[in-house]
Amino acid sequence: MARAATTSDAFNAIAEPQRREILVLLRGGERPVTELARDLGMSQPQASKHLRVLREVGLVRARGAGKQRLYGLDARGLRPVHEWLGGFERFWSGSFDRLDEYVQDLKQARQEEPPDDDDQ
Amino acid sequence: MARAATTSDAFNAIAEPQRREILVLLRGGERPVTELARDLGMSQPQASKHLRVLREVGLVRARGAGKQRLYGLDARGLRPVHEWLGGFERFWSGSFDRLDEYVQDLKQARQEEPPDDDDQ
DNA sequence: TTGACGCATGCCGATATAGGCATATGATGA
DNA sequence: TCATCATATGCCTATATCGGCATGCGTCAA
């Protein structure tokens, strides 16, 4: 198996930096493809492809406007992602001091143990 | 180019469902690899590989405990992701709840102001 | 030392990616 | 109708993935 499709869910769709930039830009309002491509310094086909992915996940909607096609944000699909991350909020907020203890434990363990830190 | 490495950032790391499940499990405290593999119904090598990815992104820390290796959560790396998503919160709450309304707003805005709200 | 256990890693195969380039499709206006 | 502009799509290459399987490596107990 390869990696999951970018169109499988919002998690995969926003894993790509350029797609995140597109979403950020669209926060300011609808935009045609060429404008997005220009502002983000990518080719028009690439912009279209990224927009296609975002469309298939439902994060973006297209609307024909004459020769152009205006893309607009539909960020509702990001909500589940945000909520999933919210489940970890207590681990980085101050009220949860257990992390600090944990980190201390780690430091101790690391000092005592030989460097098996293969981590890059 | 292929897709960005899963170890490039937290966005890519959490794009994989099994890794998300690992993180959720680790919210309950440190766990050895085999236990994670068993609870999530995956092979031990797969668990190790996923944990390696999470380790390289810094979402997880390992601590040697005898024969075992206890993995613990370090969710601080998720904070930037959560914050990025927070930038879209207003689009799924309140008046932006429905895309239709949102599109209407955009149309109005565009009619009132010149559309070349120029880039950046 | 030997064996058993826990975990990490290497190799393989199948797949899907991101990007570049060329081209097809669609709408507009003359 | 035809030419033009705005997008979408197809083909191609290089790459990185995820999974399975086998195996290496380190730790512990006899």
Side-chain angles (χ1 to χ4, degrees):
Chain A
M1 273 190 184
R3 197 165 173 179
T6 53
T7 57
S8 59
D9 55 30
F11 282 96
N12 281 279
I14 66 173
E16 158 65 50
Q18 308 232 57
R19 281 195 289 265
R20 288 200 297 274
E21 294 185 41
I22 289 180
L23 293 177
V24 169
L25 262 186
L26 289 184
R27 255 182 345 207
E30 291 176 293
R31 294 239 192 163
V33 178
T34 309
E35 202 177 304
L36 289 170
R38 178 172 50 76
D39 290 6
L40 297 177
M42 59 175 120
S43 70
Q44 175 269 310
Q46 267 312 302
S48 279
K49 285 172 185 173
H50 282 313
L51 286 166
R52 175 184 169 88
V53 169
L54 293 171
R55 229 171 47 218
E56 294 186 13
V57 192
L59 290 176
V60 140
R61 293 285 164 84
R63 171 168 77 91
K67 282 199 278 191
Q68 300 192 127
R69 233 178 123 126
L70 293 181
Y71 277 87
L73 182 65
D74 183 3
R76 289 172 298 178
L78 291 178
R79 187 172 192 171
V81 185
H82 188 256
E83 284 172 353
W84 184 83
L85 285 158
F88 295 87
E89 206 161 0
R90 59 194 173 108
F91 289 96
W92 66 67
S93 64
S95 62
F96 196 73
D97 49 330
R98 188 168 157 189
L99 176 64
D100 299 315
E101 296 177 20
Y102 169 53
V103 170
Q104 289 307 315
D105 285 346
L106 283 177
K107 284 179 93 173
Q108 276 192 348
R110 285 193 160 232
Q111 283 175 351
E112 292 166 5
E113 281 303 315
D116 65 328
D117 324 347
D118 28 73
D119 8 73
Q120 32 173 351
Chain B
M1 272 192 179
R3 198 166 173 177
T6 52
T7 58
S8 59
D9 55 32
F11 282 95
N12 281 279
I14 66 172
E16 158 66 50
Q18 308 232 57
R19 282 196 289 264
R20 287 200 298 273
E21 293 185 43
I22 289 180
L23 293 177
V24 169
L25 261 185
L26 290 183
R27 253 178 352 202
E30 292 175 294
R31 295 237 193 164
V33 178
T34 310
E35 202 176 305
L36 290 170
R38 179 173 48 75
D39 289 6
L40 296 177
M42 59 176 119
S43 70
Q44 175 268 309
Q46 267 311 303
S48 281
K49 285 172 186 174
H50 282 314
L51 286 166
R52 176 183 169 86
V53 169
L54 293 171
R55 227 170 51 218
E56 293 185 13
V57 192
L59 290 175
V60 140
R61 292 285 165 83
R63 171 168 77 94
K67 283 198 280 191
Q68 301 192 128
R69 229 169 123 92
L70 294 182
Y71 278 87
L73 181 65
D74 183 1
R76 287 172 299 178
L78 291 178
R79 187 172 191 170
V81 185
H82 188 256
E83 284 172 354
W84 183 84
L85 286 159
F88 294 87
E89 206 161 359
R90 61 192 173 103
F91 290 97
W92 65 67
S93 61
S95 62
F96 285 99
D97 209 7
R98 302 196 53 169
L99 177 65
D100 301 317
E101 296 179 19
Y102 168 52
V103 170
Q104 291 307 316
D105 284 345
L106 285 177
K107 285 177 92 173
Q108 277 191 349
R110 289 208 149 225
Q111 283 173 351
E112 292 166 4
E113 296 178 16
D116 51 348
D117 34 296
D118 256 347
D119 2 35
Q120 321 186 358

